[in-house]
Amino acid sequence: MTAFQLTNDQLALRERARSIGEKSCQPLVADGEKGRVNRQVVQMLGRAGLLPKLFPMTKGDDARVAATDLCLMREGLAMVCPEAETALALQGLGTYPIVQSGSPAMVAEWVPRVAKGEVVAAFALSEPAAGSDPGSLALRAEKKGDGWVLSGTKTWISNAPSADVYTLFARTSDGDGARGITAFIVPGGTPGLTGASIEMIAPHPIGTLELTDVALSDAYRLGEVGEGFKVAMRTLDLFRPSVGAFCVGMAQRALDEAVGWAKERRAFGKAIKDFQAVSHALADAATQVRAARLLVYSAAAAYDAGQGNSKLAAMAKLFATETAQRVVDVAVQVLGARALEASHPLAHLWLEVRAPRIYEGTSEIQREVIARELFR
Ligand code: COS
C-alpha cells in the first residue's frame, strides 16, 4: 500500500469479506438468537478463511497480526453484516494477548482453535468502577502456593458469559495502579466463574463475569507479573484503528444508501439530489468518510511497518468513530422516516454506530492519548 492507495490484493480482501458477510453470514445472523454469541457465524468466519487470515499460528516476530488485513476484513464485513464483523473482531481482541504475550504452549492450545472458529474468545478488562481508568481495576488475583486464586467482577465484556476463553486482567499488587496488574487466561467453565448477559440497544453478545475463588495454576498467567496493563494497552494499539475500520464500513454503507435514495426520490418536481441541502451534505459526508479511511489505513500500515504508535491508533479511532456517527445521521435525515423503520438497514446502523465512540477507549480517552503525546 502506498500512503494513499490500497493495492488490488487489499481491495480484493475487503470485497471477499463483504461478500462472505452478505452471502454466508447474514442468513446465519437472521436465524440466530439476537444478543447472544452466534457460534454458526464464528465457525463460518473460520471456514471461509477470514479468521485464519487474522491469526499467525506461531509466536515470534514474523507472526504479527497484520493490522491492515484486520482493517480490510472489518470494513468489508461492516458494510453488510455488523454482527459478523463484531464476531471476527472479538476473536481477535480476545486472542491477541495470547499471540502477543503467551507461552508457545498457550499459543498452540488456543490460537488454532480460535482461528478455525471452534472456540470463542473474549477480552475481559472493564469493571463496574474501572472503564476509562483500567489502572484502577479491583478484581484480585492472590498468589496461593504455585498458583493463583481470582475473585471479583468484570462487566461489559463482549462474548461473556458464553466465551470459551477469556484473557482477563487482575490486580496482583496493591498501591501500584497500572503497575500492579497481571494478565491471565481463564477458560470458560472454570469452577467459580459465572456470568450473565446484558441487553444493549443494538443486540450484541455482552455480559458480566463473576469470579469467586477461581483457582488457576501459574501456567495460566499471561506475561510477567505486573505487566498486564501493558499487555492490554498493546492490544488496544492494534485494535483501535480497526474499530475505525468498522466505522468506515458502516459510514460507507450509510452514504451509499443516501446517495442511492437521493437519485431516486423526487420532491417539488425534481430528484432530491438536485437540492444543494442534500447534495452538499452528502459531499461533506463523502469527504469525511475518505478522510477517516485514510487515517485508519495509514495507522494500520504504520503498525505493520513497525512504525505504529498509540497516537496514530487513537487519531484513527477518534476520527472514524465520530465521523461514522455524523454520516449515519446525515443519511437518516436524507431518507427520512423510512430510515427509522425498524427493519431498515439505516435503523440498524443508527443503533450500531453509537457504541464504538465508547468501547476500547472513549473519544475523550483517545484525545487524552493524543494530547499526552503532543505535550510530552
Ligand atoms: N503500550 C505499552 N505500554 C504502555 C502503553 C502502550 N500503548 N500505554 C501505557 N503503557 C505503559 C506506560 O509506559 C507505563 O509503564 P511504566 O509503568 O513502565 O512507566 C504504564 O503502562 C502505565 O501507563 P500510564 O501511566 O500512561 O497509564 P494511565 O493509567 O495514565 O492510562 C490511558 C493511560 C488513559 C491511555 C489508559 O488508561 C487507557 O487507554 N484507558 C482506556 C481504557 C479502555 O480502552 N477501556 C475500554 C475497555 S476495553 S473494551
Side-chain angles (χ1 to χ4, degrees):
M1 188 175 80
T2 70
F4 302 105
Q5 201 61 45
L6 294 170
T7 66
N8 286 340
D9 283 352
Q10 288 170 332
L11 292 170
L13 175 59
R14 188 176 68 188
E15 174 52 28
R16 189 154 72 87
R18 199 198 60 75
S19 164
I20 291 165
E22 188 168 35
K23 295 190 186 120
S24 307
C25 297
Q26 271 184 7
L28 297 173
V29 168
D31 284 350
E33 190 184 352
K34 284 196 187 322
R36 297 293 180 274
V37 171
N38 187 323
R39 287 179 184 268
Q40 304 243 43
V41 169
V42 178
Q43 286 158 13
M44 174 57 73
L45 294 169
R47 275 203 305 283
L50 298 186
L51 283 172
K53 183 113 188 117
L54 200 52
F55 291 107
M57 292 303 155
T58 55
K59 187 167 175 278
D61 281 343
D62 57 350
R64 296 164 65 99
V65 171
T68 307
D69 287 351
L70 171 63
C71 288
L72 291 163
M73 290 190 281
R74 292 194 71 170
E75 187 190 341
L77 286 170
M79 289 179 197
V80 290
C81 193
E83 295 87 350
E85 190 286 335
T86 305
L88 177 100
L90 294 175
Q91 290 292 87
L93 185 69
T95 310
Y96 182 65
I98 303 175
V99 173
Q100 175 213 125
S101 301
S103 64
M106 282 173 173
V107 172
E109 181 177 359
W110 293 106
V111 178
R113 287 191 289 154
V114 171
K116 283 190 190 132
E118 289 172 3
V119 305
V120 169
F123 180 82
L125 180 64
S126 295
E127 299 186 359
S132 288
D133 179 17
S136 68
L137 66 80
L139 187 147
R140 294 207 59 94
E142 299 280 359
K143 192 96 180 79
K144 230 182 192 166
D146 289 342
W148 299 87
V149 177
L150 280 64
S151 291
T153 305
K154 293 283 177 188
T155 193
W156 304 303
I157 306 305
S158 293
N159 282 344
S162 311
D164 303 303
V165 58
Y166 298 90
T167 48
L168 183 141
F169 301 84
R171 177 155 304 287
T172 44
S173 64
D174 286 323
D176 289 341
R179 292 165 195 93
I181 293 169
T182 304
F184 294 88
I185 289 179
V186 182
T190 304
L193 175 65
T194 57
S197 294
I198 304 173
E199 309 301 329
M200 308 297 275
I201 57 164
H204 178 78
I206 192 166
T208 55
L209 292 175
E210 199 64 45
L211 286 82
T212 310
D213 295 333
V214 169
L216 297 174
S217 82
D218 197 45
Y220 288 85
R221 176 167 48 81
L222 202 47
E224 299 303 318
V225 173
E227 294 288 308
F229 188 81
K230 291 178 189 172
V231 174
M233 289 300 124
R234 286 195 291 263
T235 303
L236 293 173
D237 282 346
L238 168 61
F239 277 86
R240 282 174 177 161
S242 79
V243 176
F246 173 38
C247 286
V248 167
M250 288 193 286
Q252 184 66 56
R253 172 67 189 271
L255 181 61
D256 293 346
E257 293 280 339
V259 168
W261 182 250
K263 284 195 264 192
E264 197 182 296
R265 175 67 163 180
R266 295 181 69 80
F268 304 101
K270 56 186 179 181
I272 61 170
K273 75 172 172 51
D274 294 324
F275 292 99
Q276 285 188 348
V278 172
S279 63
H280 285 195
L282 295 179
D284 279 347
T287 306
Q288 288 160 8
V289 172
R290 179 158 170 79
R293 186 179 277 120
L294 289 171
L295 266 182
V296 162
Y297 284 102
S298 74
Y303 185 95
D304 290 338
Q307 294 164 5
N309 59 50
S310 305
K311 183 183 75 175
L312 296 179
M315 286 175 163
K317 181 181 187 284
L318 172 65
F319 192 81
T321 57
E322 295 286 334
T323 293
Q325 175 95 47
R326 278 197 303 275
V327 170
V328 171
D329 191 57
V330 167
V332 167
Q333 199 66 17
V334 169
L335 271 87
R338 63 193 40 75
L340 297 180
E341 289 177 17
S343 62
H344 197 279
L346 283 175
H348 188 178
L349 290 177
W350 174 258
L351 294 175
E352 288 277 353
V353 80
R354 188 62 183 84
R357 290 171 59 211
I358 294 173
Y359 62 59
E360 291 184 42
T362 60
S363 290
E364 293 69 25
I365 287 292
Q366 308 311 321
R367 291 188 179 97
E368 180 63 21
V369 170
I370 297 162
R372 283 187 190 188
E373 191 58 37
L374 280 182
F375 296 109
R376 206 145 67 110

